[in-house]
Amino acid sequence: VYLRESKTLLGGSKAAVYDLDGLVLDNPPLFLTMQDIDRIAIIRGSGASNRYGQRGQGGVIVINTKQGNFIDPEATQKFKDSITLRKKRDIEAFKTASLDTEIPVELKNLYDADSEEKASQVYEDQVANFDNSPYKAIAVGAYFLKKWKSKEKAGEIWNSVKTNYSSNAPVLKALAYSYEENGDLLAAMQLYRAIASLRPNYVQSYRDLANINTQLGNHGKALNLYATQLLDRAEVRQTAMDSIINIESHNLIARHKMEMSSQVIDIEQTLGYSPIRVLLEWNNGEAEFDLQCMNPPNYYTWRHTFNRNPESITDEKTQGYSSKQFLINENLGGKWRFNLKYFGNKSNEPTYLKVTTYFDYGKPTQRKELKVFRLALLDTNMHLLTIDIDTNG
């Protein structure tokens, strides 16, 4: 039951909870009979949040029974079981390893090198192996850039990847992510242009070009690309990608007007709350994974597998996109933890995942953090990132 509709086409409405004689339940108490019920009340708006906290954001349906203290053995046991399950989930969630610290097994010799010269020698000894494996080469370039601050070596390796795999869109996209992460936006744009020529029917191709032009300050080109994708398709539906295009184009217009005049147009007026935006993008459309978002006691899992979410996967393949956004109400406070379990991509190659977190989205103070993760370890719950809303970071 949804008592409070979302104020935006982006969705995100939260279901109501049920207060049964003081016991708050996520699911409706279907075990009740009409004869048991004395009164039903509906609480919407801030009143629900003030009294019930985060659980009341979607509104509350208050049910008073005639006894005034309804006790159902099955419901009581389910409540106890839910507490046990919640504690177990908390323990499992915080036992995860970090994707930030995962070292590719095939690069262990490089990471063991205690100087840039030794690392360079290791690379030269295995250069043929890296040339035949573009994802290893991308990881090696990132290693030289992050470990030894060697832009020259990273550029040499990545240029070789661009040349040898100029017709491989997933490889080029993984490389574009790496350029973006390291601030080389012009190099990233060059790759996104190449990908658009390889995939002219993919909506993701034009959205990526619009996004990179936005970052480079080419607002007119970016808006034109967004408008083309919104208006030039025969059928426009509010799918995941349309929602991304909508909010990004709105944000671009709002921030551009902020620069040109004193009038402030806040994205909060559209959403109904001040958002922290988390955008996930992956280079291989065949990638499957589970994403778990938690702010205890609240848990949510987005399942990106064909078996568990066939409609979403089919829509991605039909329109040609590989991205998903999540909007967090920063007024909720607390720490939001994101975990990911990777299941592969129908090949032996890793998947590159780009995660961009926007704070104060749509405001003059908007800022972002961008991270790129190399997904290779299968069926293991890994920690992706934590957002501490209370410290805005």
Side-chain angles (χ1 to χ4, degrees), residues 21 33-40 63-68:
D21 289 339
T33 66
M34 291 285 289
Q35 290 73 27
D36 293 322
I37 299 172
D38 180 57
R39 173 179 174 271
I40 296 179
I63 303 173
N64 300 126
T65 63
K66 290 179 179 178
Q67 292 105 329

Side-chain angles (χ1 to χ4, degrees), residues 127-139:
V127 66
N129 180 35
F130 292 132
D131 284 344
N132 292 324
S133 181
Y135 293 104
K136 288 181 183 177
I138 293 173

Side-chain angles (χ1 to χ4, degrees), residues 259-319:
E259 296 170 5
M260 300 300 293
S261 71
S262 59
Q263 183 182 7
V264 175
I265 301 176
D266 199 326
I267 199 73
E268 186 174 356
Q269 297 174 2
T270 302
L271 296 177
Y273 60 85
S274 182
I276 292 175
R277 181 176 183 242
V278 180
L279 177 67
L280 272 64
E281 303 169 74
W282 49 98
N283 73 309
N284 191 319
E286 300 293 341
E288 295 194 338
F289 52 87
D290 280 352
L291 178 75
Q292 185 184 43
C293 174
M294 62 200 77
N295 179 20
N298 300 306
Y299 292 82
Y300 166 75
T301 300
W302 182 61
R303 304 189 187 279
H304 187 260
T305 65
F306 187 79
N307 288 337
R308 301 296 296 271
N309 198 354
E311 291 183 1
S312 177
I313 302 296
T314 300
D315 187 66
E316 289 174 14
K317 293 182 179 297
T318 301
Q319 291 199 60

Side-chain angles (χ1 to χ4, degrees), residues 318-363:
T318 301
Q319 291 199 60
Y321 69 92
S322 50
S323 52
K324 174 72 173 179
Q325 68 179 355
F326 298 89
L327 303 174
I328 301 174
N329 187 342
E330 65 180 22
N331 296 323
L332 296 179
K335 290 185 178 180
W336 293 74
R337 182 182 175 95
F338 289 81
N339 291 343
L340 185 139
K341 182 181 287 187
Y342 177 58
F343 303 119
N345 60 21
K346 297 184 179 178
S347 76
N348 292 324
E349 301 289 1
T351 294
Y352 272 68
L353 176 72
K354 181 175 71 169
V355 181
T356 312
T357 306
Y358 297 86
F359 300 91
D360 294 336
Y361 194 70
K363 297 181 179 180

Side-chain angles (χ1 to χ4, degrees), residues 25-73:
L25 306 170
D26 292 323
N27 297 315
L30 301 180
F31 48 80
L32 285 178
T33 66
M34 291 285 289
Q35 290 73 27
D36 293 322
I37 299 172
D38 180 57
R39 173 179 174 271
I40 296 179
I42 305 297
I43 302 178
R44 293 185 175 90
S46 60
S49 297
N50 291 341
R51 181 173 176 182
Y52 295 89
Q54 296 177 16
R55 295 188 72 182
Q57 285 184 332
V60 181
I61 298 173
V62 181
I63 303 173
N64 300 126
T65 63
K66 290 179 179 178
Q67 292 105 329
N69 185 21
F70 188 88
I71 298 177
D72 180 82

